[in-house]
Amino acid sequence: MSHAIQDRPLSVAPRGGSSPTPASPAGFPAAVAVGSVLAGVGIGLAAGWHSKVQWGLVSALLFVLVTYALTTKVEGSRQAKDRVATSLVWVCFVLAVVPLLSLAWVTISKGAAVLDGYFLTHSMNGVLDAEAGGGVYHALLGTIEQVGIATLIAAPIGLLTAVYLVEYGGGRLAQAVTFFVDVMTGIPSIVAGLFILATWNLILGFGPPVSPARWPSPS
């Protein structure tokens, strides 16, 4: 008798007498995504839209709306808002990744045919923009030179700054140095580089002169 009582599963009633909130099936987001894509493609074809970007935007909008409507009906408004926020994050992620993948695909598919020894060991010296030929030797050499010079300048300064902040830093100077280090860490390198390039060339006028003969002609 005691063993029968111990083996019997105990059922715990939910607090407050309320039934547990139903949950959506495991494949619910994937099913909604596939259905939204199919519906977006169908709407685009029916409307005569030739741009796949429009199809994608319609599919993304349908995905968010259908997710909210079905989740509200099944799980309630609170879970629906949570799923909408998650859906928006995924939509933004896809919208950011698709152009990147498209650019990478076009670059690789069209550039793989000319990626050889000649392309890597010849420069664009004497080759006009509209002519075929040339290579990236000048770009590779310039990149190596700039990275080397920047490393020779920045590495000692950064190392000495770190030693100062850890071992001797204190007072307003250390606070100012820490502030600027945090600012430079949070700024992307390309933004800082473009700012320095624009200031150096446009404002201070240290850039190389461009002759009118090399200006692009209006098409």
Side-chain angles (χ1 to χ4, degrees):
M1 178 67 68
S2 61
H3 293 287
I5 296 176
Q6 292 178 359
D7 295 337
R8 182 181 301 173
L10 299 178
S11 59
V12 180
R15 296 181 179 179
S18 60
S19 59
T21 303
S24 300
F28 171 74
V32 175
V34 173
S36 300
V37 171
L38 295 178
V41 172
I43 293 174
L45 293 176
W49 296 340
H50 300 286
S51 176
K52 295 182 175 60
V53 176
Q54 295 175 327
W55 300 0
L57 293 177
V58 172
S59 301
L61 181 60
L62 290 176
F63 176 71
V64 175
L65 294 179
V66 172
T67 298
Y68 179 77
L70 294 181
T71 308
T72 302
K73 185 176 181 180
V74 176
E75 301 180 6
S77 60
R78 183 175 182 180
Q79 292 295 330
K81 295 177 181 178
D82 178 75
R83 286 189 178 271
V84 166
T86 306
S87 302
L88 290 176
V89 171
W90 277 105
V91 168
C92 294
F93 171 76
V94 172
L95 292 178
V97 169
V98 167
L100 179 62
L101 295 179
S102 176
L103 179 62
W105 169 254
V106 173
T107 302
I108 294 174
S109 61
K110 294 188 176 182
V114 297
L115 187 61
D116 51 13
Y118 178 86
F119 182 72
L120 297 175
T121 57
H122 287 74
S123 67
M124 295 295 295
N125 186 19
V127 181
L128 299 179
D129 296 338
E131 295 179 353
V136 294
Y137 172 76
H138 63 292
L140 295 177
L141 186 60
T143 301
I144 294 174
E145 291 178 353
Q146 295 298 320
V147 171
I149 295 173
T151 303
L152 290 176
I153 296 174
I157 297 177
L159 180 60
L160 294 175
T161 301
V163 172
Y164 167 75
L165 291 177
V166 173
E167 299 294 339
Y168 310 102
R172 295 184 178 180
L173 179 59
Q175 294 178 358
V177 172
T178 304
F179 171 77
F180 284 109
V181 168
D182 293 338
V183 170
M184 293 304 298
T185 303
I187 297 177
S189 301
I190 185 64
V191 176
L194 291 176
F195 173 76
I196 296 172
L197 178 64
T199 304
W200 193 260
N201 290 351
L202 300 180
I203 299 178
L204 301 179
F206 288 104
V210 180
S211 60
R214 296 183 62 87
W215 290 355
S217 58
S219 58

